[in-house]
PDB file of all heavy atoms in Angstrom:
ATOM      1  N   PHE R  69      -0.359 -19.113  25.479  1.00 95.00           N
ATOM      2  CA  PHE R  69      -0.576 -18.901  26.893  1.00 95.00           C
ATOM      3  C   PHE R  69      -1.326 -20.113  27.495  1.00 95.00           C
ATOM      4  O   PHE R  69      -1.221 -20.608  28.625  1.00 95.00           O
ATOM      5  CB  PHE R  69      -1.145 -17.636  27.196  1.00 95.00           C
ATOM      6  CG  PHE R  69      -0.408 -16.386  27.028  1.00 95.00           C
ATOM      7  CD1 PHE R  69      -0.381 -15.676  25.843  1.00 95.00           C
ATOM      8  CD2 PHE R  69       0.672 -16.186  27.998  1.00 95.00           C
ATOM      9  CE1 PHE R  69       0.443 -14.567  25.790  1.00 95.00           C
ATOM     10  CE2 PHE R  69       1.510 -15.055  27.811  1.00 95.00           C
ATOM     11  CZ  PHE R  69       1.393 -14.212  26.695  1.00 95.00           C
ATOM     12  N   TRP R  70      -2.340 -20.671  26.692  1.00 97.00           N
ATOM     13  CA  TRP R  70      -3.085 -21.826  27.137  1.00 97.00           C
ATOM     14  C   TRP R  70      -2.156 -23.117  27.220  1.00 97.00           C
ATOM     15  O   TRP R  70      -2.246 -23.860  28.127  1.00 97.00           O
ATOM     16  CB  TRP R  70      -4.221 -22.074  26.199  1.00 97.00           C
ATOM     17  CG  TRP R  70      -5.449 -21.231  26.646  1.00 97.00           C
ATOM     18  CD1 TRP R  70      -5.676 -19.934  26.518  1.00 97.00           C
ATOM     19  CD2 TRP R  70      -6.683 -21.797  27.228  1.00 97.00           C
ATOM     20  NE1 TRP R  70      -6.810 -19.507  26.930  1.00 97.00           N
ATOM     21  CE2 TRP R  70      -7.516 -20.580  27.455  1.00 97.00           C
ATOM     22  CE3 TRP R  70      -7.041 -22.983  27.653  1.00 97.00           C
ATOM     23  CZ2 TRP R  70      -8.795 -20.725  28.044  1.00 97.00           C
ATOM     24  CZ3 TRP R  70      -8.328 -23.106  28.248  1.00 97.00           C
ATOM     25  CH2 TRP R  70      -9.166 -21.923  28.411  1.00 97.00           C
ATOM     26  N   HIS R  71      -1.359 -23.150  26.222  1.00 95.00           N
ATOM     27  CA  HIS R  71      -0.432 -24.406  26.154  1.00 95.00           C
ATOM     28  C   HIS R  71       0.558 -24.376  27.383  1.00 95.00           C
ATOM     29  O   HIS R  71       0.898 -25.489  27.906  1.00 95.00           O
ATOM     30  CB  HIS R  71       0.333 -24.431  24.940  1.00 95.00           C
ATOM     31  CG  HIS R  71       1.225 -25.687  24.707  1.00 95.00           C
ATOM     32  ND1 HIS R  71       2.528 -25.642  25.023  1.00 95.00           N
ATOM     33  CD2 HIS R  71       0.760 -26.888  24.226  1.00 95.00           C
ATOM     34  CE1 HIS R  71       3.004 -26.950  24.696  1.00 95.00           C
ATOM     35  NE2 HIS R  71       1.971 -27.627  24.337  1.00 95.00           N
ATOM     36  N   GLN R  72       0.948 -23.189  27.800  1.00 93.00           N
ATOM     37  CA  GLN R  72       1.822 -23.084  28.960  1.00 93.00           C
ATOM     38  C   GLN R  72       1.216 -23.696  30.211  1.00 93.00           C
ATOM     39  O   GLN R  72       1.842 -24.420  30.957  1.00 93.00           O
ATOM     40  CB  GLN R  72       2.178 -21.630  29.222  1.00 93.00           C
ATOM     41  CG  GLN R  72       3.302 -21.084  28.359  1.00 93.00           C
ATOM     42  CD  GLN R  72       3.796 -19.756  28.807  1.00 93.00           C
ATOM     43  OE1 GLN R  72       3.110 -18.975  29.271  1.00 93.00           O
ATOM     44  NE2 GLN R  72       5.127 -19.573  28.769  1.00 93.00           N
ATOM     45  N   ARG R  73      -0.103 -23.558  30.360  1.00 97.00           N
ATOM     46  CA  ARG R  73      -0.847 -24.060  31.548  1.00 97.00           C
ATOM     47  C   ARG R  73      -1.372 -25.546  31.256  1.00 97.00           C
ATOM     48  O   ARG R  73      -1.493 -26.195  32.217  1.00 97.00           O
ATOM     49  CB  ARG R  73      -1.944 -23.061  31.857  1.00 97.00           C
ATOM     50  CG  ARG R  73      -1.495 -21.774  32.506  1.00 97.00           C
ATOM     51  CD  ARG R  73      -0.901 -21.878  33.890  1.00 97.00           C
ATOM     52  NE  ARG R  73      -1.722 -22.698  34.768  1.00 97.00           N
ATOM     53  CZ  ARG R  73      -2.551 -22.083  35.614  1.00 97.00           C
ATOM     54  NH1 ARG R  73      -2.731 -20.739  35.716  1.00 97.00           N
ATOM     55  NH2 ARG R  73      -3.245 -22.832  36.418  1.00 97.00           N
ATOM     56  N   CYS R  74      -1.705 -25.826  30.065  1.00 97.00           N
ATOM     57  CA  CYS R  74      -2.322 -27.051  29.673  1.00 97.00           C
ATOM     58  C   CYS R  74      -1.503 -27.683  28.581  1.00 97.00           C
ATOM     59  O   CYS R  74      -1.998 -27.874  27.488  1.00 97.00           O
ATOM     60  CB  CYS R  74      -3.639 -26.843  29.203  1.00 97.00           C
ATOM     61  SG  CYS R  74      -4.777 -26.133  30.550  1.00 97.00           S
ATOM     62  N   PRO R  75      -0.178 -28.192  28.798  1.00 96.00           N
ATOM     63  CA  PRO R  75       0.571 -28.625  27.744  1.00 96.00           C
ATOM     64  C   PRO R  75       0.131 -29.861  27.202  1.00 96.00           C
ATOM     65  O   PRO R  75       0.511 -30.457  26.062  1.00 96.00           O
ATOM     66  CB  PRO R  75       1.935 -28.805  28.344  1.00 96.00           C
ATOM     67  CG  PRO R  75       1.644 -28.942  29.843  1.00 96.00           C
ATOM     68  CD  PRO R  75       0.489 -28.122  30.145  1.00 96.00           C
ATOM     69  N   ASP R  76      -0.681 -30.674  27.873  1.00 97.00           N
ATOM     70  CA  ASP R  76      -1.145 -32.059  27.437  1.00 97.00           C
ATOM     71  C   ASP R  76      -2.492 -32.020  26.674  1.00 97.00           C
ATOM     72  O   ASP R  76      -2.942 -33.000  26.115  1.00 97.00           O
ATOM     73  CB  ASP R  76      -1.284 -33.004  28.654  1.00 97.00           C
ATOM     74  CG  ASP R  76      -0.001 -33.107  29.358  1.00 97.00           C
ATOM     75  OD1 ASP R  76       1.088 -33.206  28.654  1.00 97.00           O
ATOM     76  OD2 ASP R  76       0.001 -33.485  30.546  1.00 97.00           O
ATOM     77  N   SER R  77      -3.093 -30.841  26.705  1.00 98.00           N
ATOM     78  CA  SER R  77      -4.368 -30.703  25.834  1.00 98.00           C
ATOM     79  C   SER R  77      -4.078 -30.663  24.344  1.00 98.00           C
ATOM     80  O   SER R  77      -2.846 -30.402  23.994  1.00 98.00           O
ATOM     81  CB  SER R  77      -5.082 -29.453  26.276  1.00 98.00           C
ATOM     82  OG  SER R  77      -5.426 -29.396  27.536  1.00 98.00           O
ATOM     83  N   ASN R  78      -5.078 -31.099  23.503  1.00 98.00           N
ATOM     84  CA  ASN R  78      -4.779 -30.910  22.142  1.00 98.00           C
ATOM     85  C   ASN R  78      -5.444 -29.594  21.719  1.00 98.00           C
ATOM     86  O   ASN R  78      -6.445 -29.063  22.104  1.00 98.00           O
ATOM     87  CB  ASN R  78      -5.611 -32.012  21.433  1.00 98.00           C
ATOM     88  CG  ASN R  78      -4.976 -33.466  21.731  1.00 98.00           C
ATOM     89  OD1 ASN R  78      -3.827 -33.646  21.567  1.00 98.00           O
ATOM     90  ND2 ASN R  78      -5.814 -34.348  22.163  1.00 98.00           N
ATOM     91  N   TYR R  79      -4.696 -29.039  20.612  1.00 98.00           N
ATOM     92  CA  TYR R  79      -5.129 -27.731  20.137  1.00 98.00           C
ATOM     93  C   TYR R  79      -5.289 -27.659  18.640  1.00 98.00           C
ATOM     94  O   TYR R  79      -4.471 -28.396  17.925  1.00 98.00           O
ATOM     95  CB  TYR R  79      -4.043 -26.631  20.457  1.00 98.00           C
ATOM     96  CG  TYR R  79      -3.893 -26.515  21.974  1.00 98.00           C
ATOM     97  CD1 TYR R  79      -3.061 -27.306  22.741  1.00 98.00           C
ATOM     98  CD2 TYR R  79      -4.584 -25.529  22.638  1.00 98.00           C
ATOM     99  CE1 TYR R  79      -2.901 -27.221  24.031  1.00 98.00           C
ATOM    100  CE2 TYR R  79      -4.384 -25.266  24.039  1.00 98.00           C
ATOM    101  CZ  TYR R  79      -3.583 -26.157  24.704  1.00 98.00           C
ATOM    102  OH  TYR R  79      -3.364 -25.973  26.035  1.00 98.00           O
ATOM    103  N   THR R  80      -6.337 -27.054  18.076  1.00 98.00           N
ATOM    104  CA  THR R  80      -6.510 -26.867  16.676  1.00 98.00           C
ATOM    105  C   THR R  80      -6.550 -25.322  16.462  1.00 98.00           C
ATOM    106  O   THR R  80      -7.581 -24.680  16.987  1.00 98.00           O
ATOM    107  CB  THR R  80      -7.608 -27.531  16.148  1.00 98.00           C
ATOM    108  OG1 THR R  80      -7.591 -28.998  16.388  1.00 98.00           O
ATOM    109  CG2 THR R  80      -7.901 -27.293  14.671  1.00 98.00           C
TER     110      THR R  80
END
Side-chain angles (χ1 to χ4, degrees):
F69 287 105
W70 275 72
H71 185 266
Q72 282 192 317
R73 290 294 304 270
C74 303
D76 297 326
S77 301
N78 293 308
Y79 297 85
T80 299

